[in-house]
Amino acid sequence: VSDWEGVRLHVVTGKGGTGKTTVAGALALALSAGGRRVLLAEVEQRQGLAQLFDVAPLGYQEQRIAAAAGDGEVYALAIDAREAMHEYLTMFYRLGRAGRALDRLGFVDFATTIAPGLRDVLVVGKTYEATRRRGTAGYVYDAIVLDAPPTGRIVRFLDVTTPVSSLARVGPIGRQASAITDVIHSPRTAVHVVALLEDMPVQETIDAVAELRATHIPIGSIIVNQVQTSYLRSHELTAARRGQLDRTAIANGLRAAGLPDGDTTINALSKMAADHAEQVMVAKRQRSALAKLNRPTYELPRLSAGIDPTALYELASTLAEQGAT
Ligand SMILES: Nc1ncnc2c1ncn2[C@@H]1O[C@H](COP(=O)(O)OP(=O)(O)OP(=O)(O)O)[C@@H](O)[C@H]1O
Ligand SMILES: [Mg+2]
């Protein structure tokens, strides 16, 4: 069962450091399983995707970076505003070499520094172009996944008409911007928000969802990342929080494991258990706060060994099992 039938553009945002790049990679793999072709794009020139998939640095040229089950393929690129500008000039004005001359004259720097938001229009425009590109057998890509800017900047990033309307309401740029806006606001787009079960990331998620709703940008799922397993049962969690764990039982456990069973060790373990219990309680509260957002919600475990390409496939199948395809 797929939650995202008909969605062509998946935008992944979230508070900084929550796992946007990781989740975007896992989602691209999940979406490509079963023979589909997915394009994964990053926009901040940080080479996060190359690191994640352990491949050479990405450029503006789309290249195949991974295979998925059943002949699926993931392609990727790093979208650079300057390259997008060249392409744009070539496509829309057939300027070609003249475009590069403009660049040498500093026009691109002029345009991207002077016109507020123009850089974003170019970057989002490139993504838009990829969602519509057709080959002989239909769409070139079945879906595009965008490793997007963090929640604080996502609406401004996607809402490309505002900067453009003051710049070029009419003419090809204006038409391009309103075509982009149409896709961004249509059911073909889903903005997924990555969250952690902690106070700040959850608050940012709630704020971002409100802001996206206010601007009528379709919200996809909430992807709760780095979920930690609870090692204790509910009555043990309560005891741990109150510092009332059975010290004799802990000492017996330590001895059985061939470890020192002195007071220092027992105290340290009790403290760790109390912290863990506290964290589990916060997580429970935050999980119900996220549930109130009323969006499909997926959970990904914190993988203690970190994220290598193998771990990424693991996260992808966890997403797929929950319907995120
Ligand atoms: N489920 C997970 N389990 C373990 N480690 C994770 C998981 N998800 C992400 N990480 C790790 O957390 C760190 C941040 O992840 P990532 O780079 O994907 O976040 P980000 O939101 O893209 O960050 P930034 O805001 O800097 O772009 C990385 O070191 C990554 O390997
Ligand atoms: Mg990132």
Side-chain angles (χ1 to χ4, degrees):
V1 187
S2 154
D3 286 350
W4 309 109
E5 199 71 54
V7 171
R8 299 192 47 72
L9 175 59
H10 295 265
V11 178
V12 179
T13 185
K15 184 180 178 334
T18 51
K20 294 180 294 296
T21 303
T22 308
V23 168
L27 183 61
L29 283 174
L31 290 168
S32 67
R36 286 180 291 181
R37 186 186 285 170
V38 175
L39 179 65
L40 182 53
E42 72 173 23
V43 298
E44 294 187 314
Q45 298 299 316
R46 287 177 42 197
Q47 294 298 337
L49 295 178
Q51 245 177 49
L52 182 65
F53 283 87
D54 199 15
V55 296
L58 298 170
Y60 195 71
Q61 287 306 316
E62 292 151 29
Q63 61 189 77
R64 189 174 179 280
I65 58 161
D71 281 339
E73 292 182 304
V74 177
Y75 282 71
L77 85 161
I79 303 179
D80 170 60
R82 173 179 298 265
E83 295 275 0
M85 179 73 137
H86 282 145
E87 195 175 53
Y88 182 81
L89 292 172
T90 312
M91 267 178 7
F92 285 85
Y93 296 105
R94 310 266 167 248
L95 273 177
R97 271 201 295 190
R100 294 197 187 265
L102 282 176
D103 192 11
R104 277 198 299 278
L105 292 170
F107 173 71
V108 171
D109 285 335
F110 169 80
T112 48
T113 51
I114 298 299
L118 183 54
R119 179 173 282 274
D120 291 346
V121 179
L122 291 164
V123 169
V124 179
K126 172 65 182 173
T127 316
Y128 161 79
E129 180 270 320
T131 62
R132 308 174 68 225
R133 197 185 312 155
R134 285 173 176 279
T136 44
Y139 284 124
V140 171
Y141 294 109
D142 296 298
I144 318 292
V145 177
L146 186 59
D147 177 11
T151 33
R153 288 195 284 122
I154 191 64
V155 167
R156 204 168 8 125
F157 174 75
L158 292 174
D159 211 7
V160 297
T161 39
T162 319
V164 168
S165 60
S166 60
L167 191 80
R169 211 174 343 239
V170 291
I173 294 182
R175 275 199 299 278
Q176 166 89 342
S178 66
I180 295 171
T181 306
D182 286 350
V183 168
I184 297 288
H185 290 86
S186 80
R188 278 166 290 166
T189 296
V191 180
H192 306 282
V193 187
V194 180
L196 305 179
L197 293 176
E198 293 166 15
D199 296 330
M200 289 290 292
V202 166
Q203 192 52 52
E204 277 204 29
T205 303
I206 292 168
D207 294 346
V209 166
E211 209 188 338
L212 289 162
R213 281 192 175 137
T215 39
H216 307 290
I217 295 175
I219 299 150
S221 60
I222 309 297
I223 302 177
V224 184
N225 191 26
Q226 310 201 27
V227 175
Q228 279 186 300
T229 24
S230 167
Y231 300 107
L232 301 173
R233 284 165 295 193
S234 131
H235 67 278
E236 292 167 333
L237 287 167
T238 314
R241 276 212 335 276
R242 295 183 181 151
Q244 293 171 348
L245 286 174
D246 183 349
R247 296 177 68 88
T248 317
I250 297 176
N252 289 342
L254 283 167
R255 267 195 306 279
L259 293 166
D261 62 350
D263 270 352
T264 328
T265 316
I266 295 176
N267 289 342
L269 273 178
S270 302
K271 170 81 174 69
M272 280 175 74
D275 291 348
H276 173 67
E278 179 65 29
Q279 215 172 38
V280 170
M281 200 176 69
V282 170
K284 194 174 159 197
R285 194 173 62 227
Q286 300 302 5
R287 192 179 270 118
S288 55
L290 290 177
K292 293 202 185 88
L293 294 173
N294 239 328
R295 297 303 307 156
T297 302
Y298 312 124
E299 293 207 1
L300 293 173
R302 170 175 292 167
L303 301 176
S304 50
I307 305 296
D308 60 5
T310 313
L312 197 59
Y313 280 90
E314 212 175 294
L315 294 179
S317 56
T318 307
L319 280 177
E321 282 159 17
Q322 296 174 71
T325 58

